[in-house]
Amino acid sequence: MIYKIGNTKEIDNIPGLKEGEREAITKFAKILTEMYGGDRDIDHDMGGYILFATKGTTDDEIKEKFDYSEYLVEYIEEFEDNTYAAVYLVSTEFAVVLIMSGDDFPAEIYDDAERQTYTIIIQETLSKKVRVNAVTPQEAMRKVKTEYKHGEIVLTADDFTEVTFKEEEKC
C-alpha cells in the first residue's frame, strides 16, 4: 500500500508506523508544511509530497504513483528500523520523497544516487588499573606516567573496554 502525504496533519492517518518510518515521514512533512503550507494542493501547488510505501509494496506499484526512473535521486537518507528516504527534485520548487523499507528499496535507486566520500572515525578505548606505592596521589600519578612513557606499562587488547564509531563533521 502507498500513502501520499503532503503535511504533518496526515501522519496520524497511517496505521502501524514503526519509529523510523514515523521519523522519516515527520521530517519531510514538517519541511513541506513549514515551507509551503498545510492547506495546499499537493499535486499542483509548490512543494511536492511524500510517498510512503508499506513493507511488501512492489516496484510496479510505486511506479504507478511516481515513476522515479524518470528522475535523478537528489539524495538518500537512512532512518531507524531499516527505513530509507529517497528525495527527487521534480522541478525547482517540487519534490517527491519516497519512503520505504530497505528490504523493498529498489537497487536502481542506489545505482542512480551520487556517491559521496565519508570519513568514519573508529575509536577504541583501552583501560588498565595500576597499583603504585607513593606518598601522595600526585607522586603516584607521576610514577605511572613515567613508567607508561618508558614502556614499562603497556596496554594490550586484553585491556579493551569499548569502541565507538562516528562520522567526522564536514567543514
Side-chain angles (χ1 to χ4, degrees):
M1 172 170 263
I2 298 175
Y3 293 88
K4 192 174 194 177
I5 305 147
N7 62 60
T8 53
K9 294 183 279 187
E10 299 170 27
I11 297 170
D12 290 331
N13 297 334
I14 305 171
L17 285 175
K18 292 191 240 172
E19 187 175 331
E21 295 167 340
R22 180 172 296 282
E23 179 188 358
I25 294 168
T26 300
K27 174 183 178 174
F28 293 105
K30 277 184 177 178
I31 293 168
L32 291 172
T33 302
E34 290 171 8
M35 297 296 293
Y36 300 101
D39 296 323
R40 64 194 166 77
D41 178 344
I42 64 172
D43 291 310
H44 300 103
D45 291 343
M46 291 190 297
Y49 54 83
I50 300 160
L51 290 177
F52 169 61
T54 59
K55 189 162 174 65
T57 302
T58 67
D59 196 37
D60 290 336
E61 290 173 301
I62 295 167
K63 286 184 175 179
E64 281 179 29
K65 300 282 185 187
F66 174 69
D67 190 355
Y68 58 82
S69 63
E70 295 180 13
Y71 302 94
L72 287 176
V73 63
E74 186 69 22
Y75 74 95
I76 296 171
E77 187 169 346
E78 184 178 356
F79 294 86
E80 286 185 44
D81 303 320
N82 193 31
T83 300
Y84 287 80
V87 178
Y88 293 88
L89 292 181
V90 175
S91 68
T92 307
E93 291 289 332
F94 197 91
V96 175
V97 181
L98 177 59
I99 298 174
M100 62 191 310
S101 167
D103 296 335
D104 299 327
F105 210 70
E108 79 180 86
I109 293 177
Y110 284 114
D111 295 342
D112 289 343
E114 184 178 323
R115 301 290 185 230
Q116 298 181 38
T117 301
Y118 298 91
T119 301
I120 306 299
I121 299 168
I122 304 169
Q123 183 174 358
E124 292 184 336
T125 303
L126 305 178
S127 178
K128 181 182 244 181
K129 290 183 181 181
V130 178
R131 293 185 180 271
V132 60
N133 290 321
V135 175
T136 66
Q138 296 81 5
E139 179 189 4
M141 183 67 75
R142 219 176 16 261
K143 282 183 170 184
V144 170
K145 284 182 177 181
T146 300
E147 288 178 17
Y148 179 81
K149 184 178 176 184
H150 291 115
E152 297 166 23
I153 298 173
V154 177
L155 279 71
T156 67
D158 293 336
D159 301 310
F160 173 84
T161 57
E162 72 174 322
V163 63
T164 58
F165 299 86
K166 67 178 181 178
E167 181 180 349
E168 185 174 63
E169 296 289 325
K170 293 183 179 182
C171 298

